[in-house]
Amino acid sequence: MKRLLDYAVFSTPFYKDFQKSQSFQDFPVINKKMIQDRFELFKSDGFKTDTLFKVSTSGSTGVPFKLYHNKNKRHRNTADVLFFSEKSGYSIGDLLFELEVWRGHNKRRKIKNLLQNTVQFDISKLTNSRIECFLNLLEKSPQPKSILGFPSALEQICKYIDANKVKVEIKNLNGVIANSEYLNDYTRDAVKSLLGAPIYSRYSSEELGIIAHQTRSSGKHFEINWASYFVEILDMEKDVAAKEGTYGRLVITDLFNKSMPLIRYDTGDIAMFQEGNNCLLKTVDGRKMDMVYDTSGNLLSSYVVYTKFYPFYDLLNQYQFIQVGQKEYHIKLNLKGQFSFEEELVESVKRDFGVDAKVSIELVDEIPPLSSGKRKKVVNIYNLS
C-alpha cells in the first residue's frame, strides 16, 4: 500500500496534490464521474498510452466508463481468475462453457477457443431449442468441465428442466460460476440438484477484476481478494467506516494498476462485512442506484424482493420489481399461464415495504435484457430523480 501511494503521488497529476498526506484516510474517495471528468489527471506518466490495454463498461448499470490497465495489472487479473476458479472447481485445461451475449467486440476466434478449451455459448435468445442445444453439449462431453455465466441464464435453464421434467445426465461437471448478477436461492439449489454441481457467485468488475468470490470454504459468503485489493465499506453518507453489521458503500483500492492508480474508488455497490471476520463479505447487494427503500425511507436488501416471488416461481417466466416513487412500486410479470395470486403478492410486498405502499402489477410478454445480456430484476427509478 505504501509503495502504491508513493507511486501515485509521484507519477499522476491528480494525486500529486496529496504528497503531504499523512495517512491512507487522507486520500479522497473517488468515483466514476470524477475519473471520467479528469481522465488525463489520473493517468500515470510512467506509461505510454499505446502500450496500455483499454477496458470499458457499457454503462448499463451506471455511468459509462473506460480505464487503462498496464501489462502487469492484466497478468494479475488472469492470475486472480485462475486462483479463484480453481477454488470453485475449475482447473486449467478443463472444458469451460461461457454463457454470455457474444458479439464482435468480445467473441474470440475459433482457434483461440480451441486452444483454451472454451465454448462461447450465446444466450441473447435463450429459447427452449437453445437450452436443449446447451444441455446436449453438456451431456455429450465426457471431459472435466465447468460453466461460467449469468445467474438469470442458469435460472432459465433450470426452470426449463423443472417444467419439462427433463432428465439430465452430465458427467464430470465440477462446478458452476455465476457472475455479473445476483444469485438467488432457487438457482443455487436448482443448479446443484438438476445439473449435479455446486455453484459459486463471483463479484467482479471490468475496471478492477475479481474483488470477491464464493468458494468451497466460504459457503454463501464472499472471500475477499485481499492479495490484489484493499477493501473498505464506508458509511452511506460519510467517508467513515460503516458500523459493523450494516450495509455500506464498497470502496476499493487497486494495488496493481500502475497505469491509472485507483485509490479509494467507490464502486457504486453496497456490501456488508461478515460480523467478526473482515476477510469475508457477508453479502454484495447490488448497485446503490438500484437499492430499494420501504415507504419510511429505510434501505431494504434486494434479497427481500426476491423472497416475494419464490412462492410463484413455477408460474413465472420472468419478473421485475421497480420502485417508481417514495411509496410506489410497480411489478412486471411474464407468466407461463394464469396468475390468480395478485392480492397475495401485493400483501406480501406491503408486509415489508409498508402498509401504505401503492403496488401495481403489469402483465407483459417479455422483459428484455440489457444490451450486455444482464436482466435486472430489481430497479429503482425513484432513486434517479
Side-chain angles (χ1 to χ4, degrees):
M1 175 68 80
K2 185 178 187 307
R3 286 197 300 270
L4 172 69
L5 300 182
D6 290 344
Y7 175 84
V9 299
F10 174 77
S11 68
T12 61
F14 178 83
Y15 287 114
K16 282 181 180 177
D17 293 338
F18 300 93
Q19 291 186 31
K20 296 182 180 180
S21 297
Q22 299 297 309
S23 69
F24 172 72
Q25 283 73 24
D26 291 335
F27 284 76
V29 175
I30 59 175
N31 56 40
K32 287 183 179 180
K33 188 176 187 308
M34 186 183 299
I35 296 168
Q36 295 304 274
D37 289 347
R38 309 179 193 182
F39 191 79
E40 294 299 321
L41 298 184
F42 280 91
K43 290 171 63 177
S44 168
D45 57 20
F47 295 87
K48 293 181 179 180
T49 301
D50 59 8
T51 67
L52 302 176
F53 301 88
K54 186 171 77 171
V55 295
S56 59
T57 60
S58 64
S60 59
T61 55
V63 181
F65 191 60
K66 73 171 183 178
L67 199 70
Y68 286 112
H69 286 176
N70 54 289
K71 190 174 182 179
N72 187 55
K73 165 62 180 175
R74 199 169 174 86
H75 288 167
R76 185 78 191 186
N77 279 3
T78 300
D80 287 340
V81 168
L82 295 176
F83 176 80
F84 281 102
S85 295
E86 187 173 294
K87 297 191 79 170
S88 307
Y90 171 82
S91 297
I92 295 177
D94 288 356
L95 179 60
L96 179 64
F97 288 91
E98 298 177 276
L99 309 185
E100 252 275 23
V101 175
W102 298 111
R103 294 293 183 267
H105 69 284
N106 64 353
K107 193 169 184 178
R108 295 187 293 271
R109 291 181 300 162
K110 288 184 178 180
I111 185 64
K112 191 167 185 179
N113 280 318
L114 182 63
L115 291 171
Q116 294 182 345
N117 204 17
T118 53
V119 175
Q120 291 183 297
F121 191 86
D122 188 74
I123 59 167
S124 53
K125 291 184 179 180
L126 200 54
T127 60
N128 288 350
S129 61
R130 285 292 289 165
I131 293 174
E132 290 168 5
C133 175
F134 176 65
L135 294 176
N136 285 334
L137 288 173
L138 285 176
E139 289 183 312
K140 288 179 180 179
S141 166
Q143 60 181 298
K145 64 186 73 65
S146 292
I147 301 171
L148 169 67
F150 294 157
S152 57
L154 294 164
E155 178 182 329
Q156 199 170 340
I157 291 166
C158 289
K159 282 185 173 181
Y160 171 82
I161 297 172
D162 259 341
N164 294 281
K165 309 298 185 209
V166 178
K167 186 177 181 181
V168 182
E169 295 182 359
I170 305 171
K171 297 178 181 178
N172 296 322
L173 181 60
N174 294 328
V176 180
I177 297 173
N179 65 340
S180 300
E181 299 170 342
Y182 177 81
L183 174 61
N184 61 48
D185 285 345
Y186 167 80
T187 307
R188 182 188 301 279
D189 295 340
V191 166
K192 177 69 174 176
S193 62
L194 299 176
L195 300 184
I199 184 169
Y200 307 94
S201 185
R202 171 181 292 174
Y203 172 58
S204 63
S205 69
E206 290 290 338
E207 63 266 32
L208 295 168
I210 295 179
I211 299 165
H213 208 298
Q214 291 177 348
T215 65
R216 290 166 173 164
S217 59
S218 70
K220 290 186 178 181
H221 302 323
F222 289 78
E223 185 178 324
I224 297 173
N225 185 7
W226 287 108
S228 293
Y229 307 98
F230 184 78
V231 177
E232 298 176 90
I233 296 182
L234 301 184
D235 182 86
M236 300 292 280
E237 304 298 334
K238 299 175 290 185
D239 292 341
V240 297
K243 293 180 181 178
E244 185 174 0
T246 64
Y247 282 106
R249 295 173 293 140
L250 193 59
V251 176
I252 307 294
T253 296
D254 189 332
L255 302 176
F256 287 92
N257 188 6
K258 295 296 183 66
S259 59
M260 290 191 74
L262 295 187
I263 299 169
R264 309 193 81 190
Y265 167 63
D266 189 333
T267 62
D269 290 337
I270 306 300
M272 183 191 303
F273 283 127
Q274 171 67 6
E275 292 91 338
N277 187 351
N278 282 9
C279 290
L280 297 174
L281 293 179
K282 183 175 183 179
T283 179
V284 182
D285 218 327
R287 304 196 64 77
K288 183 179 179 182
M289 63 185 291
D290 286 330
M291 299 299 286
V292 288
Y293 300 81
D294 66 16
T295 57
S296 299
N298 300 308
L299 179 67
L300 292 181
S301 167
S302 56
Y303 179 79
V304 172
V305 176
Y306 301 131
T307 62
K308 302 301 164 190
F309 297 91
Y310 286 161
F312 315 114
Y313 255 38
D314 58 337
L315 304 175
L316 303 176
N317 289 318
Q318 300 166 310
Y319 69 85
Q320 189 174 62
F321 183 94
I322 307 169
Q323 182 163 15
V324 295
Q326 182 180 350
K327 300 183 179 183
E328 298 173 12
Y329 309 91
H330 185 64
I331 296 171
K332 293 183 178 182
L333 298 178
N334 176 4
L335 301 173
K336 292 180 179 179
Q338 296 297 315
F339 187 79
S340 56
F341 301 96
E342 292 193 9
E343 288 187 12
E344 288 92 332
L345 179 55
V346 170
E347 288 305 311
S348 177
V349 171
K350 286 186 174 184
R351 279 198 294 273
D352 281 295
F353 284 81
V355 294
D356 54 343
K358 299 176 181 178
V359 184
S360 58
I361 295 178
E362 177 187 5
L363 303 183
V364 298
D365 294 328
E366 173 71 10
I367 300 175
L370 302 168
S371 59
S372 63
K374 301 176 186 177
R375 293 183 184 271
K376 297 178 73 172
K377 292 185 177 179
V378 181
V379 179
N380 191 329
I381 296 175
Y382 173 66
N383 240 13
L384 301 178
S385 60

